[in-house]
Every structure is written in C-alpha cells, then in structure tokens.
Amino acid sequence: MRVLKKATLVPLTAALLTSATAFGAWANDDLQKLASDPKNWAMPTGDYANTRYSKLNQINKDNVKNLQVKWTFSTGVLRGHEGGPLVIGDVMYVHTPFPNIVYALDLNNDGKILWKYEPKQDPNVIPIMCCDTVNRGVAYGDGKIILNQADTTVVALDAKTGKVAWSVKNGEQTDGGKGESGTHAPIVVKDKVIVGISGGEFGVRGWVAAYNLKDGSLAWKGYSMGPDADTLLDPEKTTQLGKPVGKDSGIGTWEGEQWKTGGGATWGWYAYDPKSNLVFYGSGNPSTWNPVQRPGDNRWSMTIFARDADTGVAKWVYQMTPHDEWDYDGVNEMILVDGMDVNGAKHDVLVHFDRNGFAYTMDRNSGELLVAKKYDPKVNWATEVVMDKNSDQYGRPQVVAKYSTQQNGEDVNTTGVCPAALGTKDQQPASYSPKTGLFYVPTNHVCMDYEPYKVSYTAGQPYVGATVAMYPAPESHGGMGNFIAWDAAKGEIVWSKPELFSVWSGALATDGDIVFYGTLEGYIKAVDDKGNELYKFKTPSGIIGNVNTYEHGGKQYIAVLSGVGGWAGIGLAGGLLAPENAAAWHGAVDQGREQGDEAASVGTAGLGAVGGYAGLAEYTTLGGQLTVFGLPD
C-alpha cells in the first residue's frame, strides 16, 4: 500500500526515471539539498567535501560546558564502533559492527525503533577482517539506505520500511574465501553508489566499483593495479604530477604478475566535487608487508585517485609512498576546500593527512602538488617530499636508510620507525572550519619496530610477512596521541593538544566556534579554536566513532557512538590480550614463523597494536552505545 501511494504522488519522479542521466541529476540534487540543511547529517562525513563542519551554533563555546546526556541507545554489539549515525528529517539511522545491524530510530518518539535490518552473513568473514569487525556507516540516496556489509554484499534498504530494494555482491566471494571484506561507508554520487574493498593483508587486488542506485547493476569498476583496461587509466590523458602515466602503468613497476595479488585496497573515505564531477579516494598498502618480495614502486598502491564519477576513468593519480615498506595505507579522507591561497595563488584544493605522516595540499583539478609537510615532528622514516619540479625525485619522499625495511632486509628488525604502521593518522577523519581556515586532526603519536619475513600467497589466507611492535613516540609527552590544528596552506601545526592514547575518533567543527572529538578511554571532548578544553564526558566505552551533530525540534544535539575496538583497540575487542588468543592469532597469520616468548607473542599480536595499546584495558572495556547530548531544557 505504501509503495502504491508513493507512486501516485510523484508522477514527475516517474518521468525522470526514464532517463538515467536525469535520474542521476535528480538523485544528486535531492541528496545535496538534504546535506546542505544543517538540521540533517545526511552523509557519513557531513558533505561531499568531507569537511565534517556544521553551520549549527546553538551549542557554542560559551554554553558547551552545560551539555548533558539527553538519551542513549544500546546497539547490542560489543566490537569496535567506527563511523556515526545519519539523521534525515525525523529519523536517525544507526549502524553496528558485524553483523552490521541497521536501526531506524524515530526522533519524534523517544528513539522508538521504526525498523531493524540484520543481515545473515557467513561467520567465516570475521577472522579475515584484519583490524576488528568495524563498519564506518551507511549512506543515503533516492529514499534508500545503502549498507556495505562485512561479507562485501552491498544492500539498498527502503529508508521508510527497511525492506531490501536490491542487493549485489561486490566481492568475488561472501564467505571470506578470497580474503575480501567490506568495512567502509559507501558514497552516493548522482545516480551511483560507489564502494571499494578491504583485504590488502590477504593479497586482494583493490578496486572501486560504481553501482547504479536504481537497481544495483554495475556501472564501472576501476582496479588499483593491472592493465589500463582494469585500472581505467588513459595512458596519455591520465597524469601524475602533470605527466602522462604511460601505457599499463599499473603493471610496469611490479615483478611478473605480482600485481594480481598486489593489495591497494580502497577502504577509506570518498569525496566528490560536483563542479569537476571527480571522485577522490586513496588506495592502501601493496601486498605483502615484506617489501623485499615485491621490488619496484608497486603502482598504484598508496595512491590518490581522481576519477570521473560517470565513467570511472582517472583524470590524475599521485602515489605518495612508492614501494611502501611500512604499511602506510593511503586511504585516509580527502578534504576539499575552494579558493585556498597557497604561495600567493588561489587553488581549489584537496587536503590529505596520510598515514605516512605527511599532510598533502594539492590542486584537485590538475593534481599539482602544492604542500607536503610532516604533521607530527616525530616522523623520521623520510626527511622530506621533494618539491622541485625539475628534479627526478619530484613528489617522492626521501627515505632514511636507517629506517628502510627494504634496505635492512628480510629477518632484520628495523627499530624506532615513526610513525608506526597505523600511521600518524589512520581512517579517523579530520574536520575543517571555514571560519578559522584550519583543519582539526585526530592523530597517533606512535612508533614501531618492523621485521619483514618471507611469506607465500594462498587465496583467503593472511599474506602479511612482517612482525611489528608499537610504542609511544620516544622523548615526547609520553602519550600516544595528539589532537592538532593544521594550516594546510603553510604546512604548519598551529597548536597541538596531547592525549594519553591515540585520538581514534573523527572530529567535528561547528559554527559555534568549537571542535569535538572522542578518546580511546571513552571521553567526548569539546575544545575552542585555540585548543582549550571546554567540556568532557566519559561514555561507557572507548570512542572510535565520529562525532556528529543535528537539529530536531528546534534544538541542536551532538551524537557519538562509543565501543572500543578498531586496530588500536583490537586487543580488547578481539580478546588478544590473553596469551592463548594472541598465540592463536599468530598461528593463523604468521605461516609458522616463531614469535618468541609469551610476552613477545602478545605484544606483536594484532599487527603490532596489542602490546602498544595494552594499557587501554585499565581505562575502558567493551560496549556498544549511542550517546546523544544537548543543552539543558
């Protein structure tokens, strides 16, 4: 009945559906209109530019100290809760880690559950999710909620009823048999749903796929490496730093057919520029973590892609970490800002805080590199990124031999590398305030020891090849994180606020002259534009979710998911602090390599994070809760 009634009310929409192009424009206009209204939080990152900025200012720097908990909601799941809820009109959509439950909550009726969707997935996908069973959120478009499930199934749900409108298998197998998984939030662009893939630690060759929003049919698919027909790179028109990439550039820097298991997964955040019709995202580490086994630059892993939203063809690419030796995935968000003054000229820019510890400011239309500077002074694996356009090293980081796991070789423990594999920042997204012109960045302040060793590839089995141990950056403030303000035009830290643990929560900046973020111990914090702490409240579990805001009934609210986990919290989320569980993890991952005594086994479990973040167990425990804050009535 509801479907028939809806159909009779929208004859114009039915007419528009006769043209795919018209439908694309209509769907995109509808979503942009919703996202431009600050009462909603209609996209996972707030807007296409990934600014995570809200124009709401009812909660401001003068009254934020009065915030109080208004209501809470238990998700019923105890693993890491990344991402955050969507709010569209009077409905909030909340997601969970595996099994990827989606709830629709009625904001007019005390958060009453309007519908609940719980997919049935093969549990074999759980052990192939390298860094917890996280999910970073759902997307909205054309009256549908889009869910990217752990088993790589992409599902479109009717936003009003929760009924499945369509479902498509993004990966080759949904039982974990190829090591493919889905962890990131999709993005709806025009008439398409764009999603990537996780699985670089299993030798999955990464890709991005666009599915038609109307019915889930495949529109295009672009791989991170392989021949031009697979990567959708034009050898003459696709450029890197102004020069054509050449024929089959995704093969030539690999040995033999290693590109077929080359990694370059695409599990980060996506941005879209309607003016240029370009989608921006980054690819992850090459497989394996042992660089000695894969000579060459390993293109196009560790790369920023600018792809045409309609065709998938790349306009430009830029590889940030050629021949990665440290697992510095390039998947972190791209933040788009118009008209930034850089070196005396105005540019529409893309700003990217990479895992490798360098923050990049680029002209997003041409791919020109404008700024590349360290955003943590402790970064030591490279001295600089060469900015001289006449140099044959232009755009390349200058690797320090002492910290090169390639030069030091297999079975040699390279010590004191900063940052650690989880980067100066992982996927936890930064925010940008147009009022201050600054970026607010949650960071990790962590270093590592890294010992590569030889491994062999078997489909669906771990393909890592390195033992990693992590610890706080030496000779520093003693903690493992900083929350910083960054000037992207100058490449400078404006201020830095130290934290005990990594700041693994996405930031939120608002017109109220405040910035919110969460901590691994479980605090939600508010600071002013100078970094002064104005408010904090400890939620039931560590926060790795992203702080969002919305307005309902004339009042502004702040919402955040708490639930410790993710890579930093995998010791707690996966139970790997227990020696027997850590030993089992190594048994599954290390292909028979000995990992030393019990302490060493625990310390290097979880790809090195368990030992580094063992102290978290003294501050928080597992949970899964949405907490909503507001001002006193």
Side-chain angles (χ1 to χ4, degrees):
M1 292 294 292
R2 289 181 181 177
V3 174
L4 289 173
K5 183 178 179 182
K6 182 177 179 182
T8 61
L9 289 174
V10 286
L12 178 59
T13 300
L16 287 173
L17 290 176
T18 61
S19 165
T21 302
F23 170 75
W26 174 82
N28 195 55
D29 290 347
D30 178 52
L31 181 54
Q32 284 191 287
K33 183 178 180 181
L34 287 169
S36 65
D37 183 348
K39 295 179 181 179
N40 300 311
W41 192 270
M43 299 182 190
T45 57
D47 55 32
Y48 277 136
N50 287 346
T51 62
R52 298 193 54 79
Y53 175 80
S54 172
K55 294 179 181 178
L56 297 180
N57 57 19
Q58 189 179 103
I59 299 170
N60 56 56
K61 64 180 180 180
D62 297 320
N63 61 23
V64 67
K65 62 180 181 292
N66 300 321
L67 278 186
Q68 55 187 219
V69 175
K70 290 299 184 180
W71 59 280
T72 62
F73 178 77
S74 174
T75 67
V77 182
L78 291 180
R79 297 295 287 258
H81 284 59
E82 290 183 343
L86 296 185
V87 176
I88 299 169
D90 297 323
V91 181
M92 175 183 285
Y93 299 94
V94 179
H95 71 285
T96 78
F98 187 94
N100 305 138
I101 303 169
V102 181
Y103 297 96
L105 307 181
D106 186 354
L107 297 178
N108 288 328
N109 192 6
D110 293 328
K112 177 184 178 182
I113 300 173
L114 295 171
W115 55 259
K116 172 185 176 182
Y117 174 75
E118 183 171 357
K120 302 302 179 184
Q121 302 182 70
D122 192 319
N124 286 324
V125 75
I126 295 175
I128 59 99
M129 301 183 77
C130 89
C131 311
D132 203 6
T133 59
V134 297
N135 184 284
R136 298 183 187 93
V138 294
Y140 173 85
D142 186 37
K144 303 178 180 72
I145 295 295
I146 312 298
L147 169 66
N148 179 25
Q149 295 178 184
D151 66 359
T152 77
T153 303
V154 180
V155 181
L157 307 170
D158 185 289
K160 291 185 177 180
T161 67
K163 300 293 185 183
V164 176
W166 53 259
S167 176
V168 64
K169 188 172 68 171
N170 185 38
E172 291 186 30
Q173 295 181 205
T174 57
D175 61 359
K178 286 288 187 86
E180 304 157 327
S181 59
T183 59
H184 65 286
I187 183 173
V188 172
V189 173
K190 298 172 74 172
D191 60 344
K192 295 177 177 62
V193 177
I194 297 176
V195 295
I197 199 73
S198 300
E201 280 61 60
F202 290 80
V204 172
R205 180 168 64 123
W207 69 81
V208 165
Y211 296 95
N212 290 308
L213 181 58
K214 181 180 178 181
D215 58 12
S217 58
L218 181 66
W220 56 259
K221 186 175 184 178
Y223 284 88
S224 299
M225 60 274 302
D228 293 337
D230 288 1
T231 60
L232 304 185
L233 269 61
D234 185 310
E236 299 302 325
K237 294 181 180 179
T238 303
T239 62
Q240 177 175 224
L241 300 177
K243 296 181 179 180
V245 295
K247 182 175 173 57
D248 290 334
S249 58
I251 294 178
T253 62
W254 291 88
E255 190 173 78
E257 294 189 334
Q258 285 186 338
W259 57 269
K260 292 183 176 180
T261 54
T266 51
W267 51 270
W269 303 96
Y270 294 72
Y272 173 61
D273 180 4
K275 292 188 296 183
S276 64
N277 198 39
L278 293 176
V279 174
F280 304 93
Y281 69 94
S283 61
N285 61 284
S287 301
T288 110
W289 284 27
N290 179 358
V292 179
Q293 285 188 244
R294 43 172 176 76
D297 278 359
N298 307 137
R299 292 177 175 176
W300 294 101
S301 65
M302 321 302 278
T303 297
I304 297 173
F305 286 83
R307 291 192 185 274
D308 183 275
D310 296 327
T311 65
V313 174
K315 181 177 181 179
W316 59 263
V317 294
Y318 170 58
Q319 188 177 41
M320 296 161 290
T321 312
H323 187 65
D324 170 59
E325 308 171 39
W326 312 269
D327 186 48
Y328 291 153
D329 288 46
V331 300
N332 293 349
E333 76 284 355
M334 315 295 161
I335 302 175
L336 312 183
V337 177
D338 291 347
M340 181 181 288
D341 190 331
V342 185
N343 299 322
K346 296 284 188 181
H347 296 267
D348 289 346
V349 300
L350 172 157
V351 176
H352 170 74
F353 299 93
D354 198 62
R355 284 250 293 261
N356 69 14
F358 287 86
Y360 299 84
T361 304
M362 306 186 71
D363 185 298
R364 68 173 184 262
N365 294 309
S366 67
E368 179 187 357
L369 183 61
L370 304 173
V371 179
K373 294 289 187 179
K374 298 176 183 179
Y375 62 105
D376 185 335
K378 289 294 180 178
V379 171
N380 65 12
W381 68 276
T383 56
E384 64 176 345
V385 173
V386 174
M387 299 298 292
D388 181 359
K389 294 181 179 180
N390 296 317
S391 170
D392 62 358
Q393 295 295 297
Y394 174 46
R396 293 182 72 96
Q398 300 303 288
V399 177
V400 176
K402 178 181 178 180
Y403 303 116
S404 170
T405 67
Q406 165 75 40
Q407 294 179 53
N408 294 337
E410 288 180 345
D411 304 317
V412 175
N413 192 24
T414 298
T415 62
V417 183
C418 305
L422 42 67
T424 299
K425 189 178 84 63
D426 199 9
Q427 59 75 38
Q428 62 269 36
S431 63
Y432 169 75
S433 170
K435 292 185 73 173
T436 64
L438 298 178
F439 295 77
Y440 301 98
V441 191
T443 74
N444 312 312
H445 193 56
V446 186
C447 302
M448 69 176 172
D449 301 339
Y450 189 113
E451 182 175 349
Y453 57 88
K454 189 173 183 177
V455 287
S456 58
Y457 172 77
T458 302
Q461 298 300 311
Y463 189 47
V464 179
T467 299
V468 179
M470 300 183 188
Y471 41 83
E475 301 176 357
S476 186
H477 59 73
M480 301 178 74
N482 295 300
F483 188 73
I484 71 170
W486 178 259
D487 185 325
K490 297 179 180 178
E492 296 177 355
I493 297 172
V494 177
W495 52 257
S496 180
K497 185 177 184 295
E499 289 288 352
L500 180 59
F501 294 103
S502 295
V503 186
W504 209 271
S505 158
L508 169 72
T510 78
D511 188 57
D513 300 318
I514 43 180
V515 183
F516 291 90
Y517 66 96
T519 74
L520 277 171
E521 310 100 288
Y523 285 104
I524 183 173
K525 295 187 176 184
V527 298
D528 65 16
D529 57 11
K530 300 296 190 296
N532 300 307
E533 191 171 294
L534 304 176
Y535 174 82
K536 70 175 182 178
F537 179 89
K538 194 169 186 182
T539 64
S541 185
I543 297 176
I544 63 170
N546 305 330
V547 188
N548 294 352
T549 189
Y550 65 96
E551 183 181 309
H552 184 258
K555 296 180 180 180
Q556 182 184 358
Y557 297 92
I558 304 295
V560 68
L561 286 169
S562 58
V564 72
W567 192 357
I570 192 63
L572 282 171
L576 298 183
L577 289 166
E580 62 273 19
N581 293 341
W585 184 91
H586 282 295
V589 172
D590 296 339
Q591 298 192 7
R593 184 180 178 84
E594 293 295 327
Q595 293 296 342
D597 60 18
E598 184 176 281
S601 177
V602 172
T604 57
L607 301 174
V610 175
Y613 294 85
L616 257 183
E618 300 173 8
Y619 292 87
T620 190
T621 188
L622 298 180
Q625 177 174 300
L626 172 77
T627 306
V628 178
F629 301 82
L631 295 171
D633 294 330

